[in-house]
Amino acid sequence: MPRTKKKQQHKKGSDTAVQGTNDSSVMSKASAAARGYFRDAFLQHFVCRVARRAPLINRGYYVRWRAVDHCVRRFLQGWDCCVCLDMNDFYLRLIPKEERDRVESLEPFDEHEEWHEKCCHYFILTASRGLLMEQALLPAPPVSSAPVISWSPTVLPVRPIP
């Protein structure tokens, strides 16, 4: 068998293993949330039905969730400026339009709503104080009296692919 074909088969197997791990993880998180360990309104969009996991797994996800929550809250204390952007904000505000257009033209894509819901789960958090405020990694969000508009399919340009 040619070497490139072996590599492709190995990569496909690795991709499948990673996807399987992700799917199992999401199912476990949904199980913990369904049992009341924590609330996560977004998990319902990633699972068809909730399968009950063992209490050991549920508690494991709970303690990880609490650990991340604790660290983020402690991080936010004592800073002059904290900026937290989810990936939607980062993509729409900080990536230049030309670059977004380039990425959006690479291949057909019709899962905008799912993608943006998933982007809500990931964020970048930076903090600064004193002289370091001039070197902030992320700009503070603009202050506006207008209400915050959440993402909707009508906000992004959707072009049919010929």
Side-chain angles (χ1 to χ4, degrees), residues 8-28:
Q8 287 174 344
Q9 286 178 340
H10 177 71
K11 181 170 176 11
K12 188 174 182 180
S14 296
D15 290 349
T16 302
V18 169
Q19 289 170 344
T21 300
N22 175 69
D23 295 346
S24 177
S25 175
V26 170
M27 291 298 292
S28 295

Side-chain angles (χ1 to χ4, degrees), residues 77-150:
Q77 294 174 352
W79 297 96
D80 294 332
C81 178
C82 294
V83 177
C84 183
L85 298 177
D86 71 17
M87 291 299 102
N88 286 315
D89 287 336
F90 182 85
Y91 183 76
L92 294 171
R93 285 192 26 219
L94 297 179
I95 294 180
K97 180 165 178 13
E98 298 79 29
E99 176 64 5
R100 289 194 319 262
D101 289 344
R102 185 192 72 77
V103 169
E104 290 169 8
S105 70
L106 292 175
E107 59 185 336
F109 186 76
D110 66 352
E111 299 172 310
H112 294 282
E113 186 173 348
E114 294 86 353
W115 182 60
H116 287 287
E117 285 180 17
K118 190 162 189 148
C119 285
C120 289
H121 273 253
Y122 300 95
F123 62 90
I124 297 174
L125 175 66
T126 63
S128 55
R129 142 182 21 184
L131 296 174
L132 294 176
M133 293 197 41
E134 295 175 12
Q135 301 171 358
L137 296 174
L138 295 173
V143 177
S144 171
S145 59
V148 175
I149 299 171
S150 61

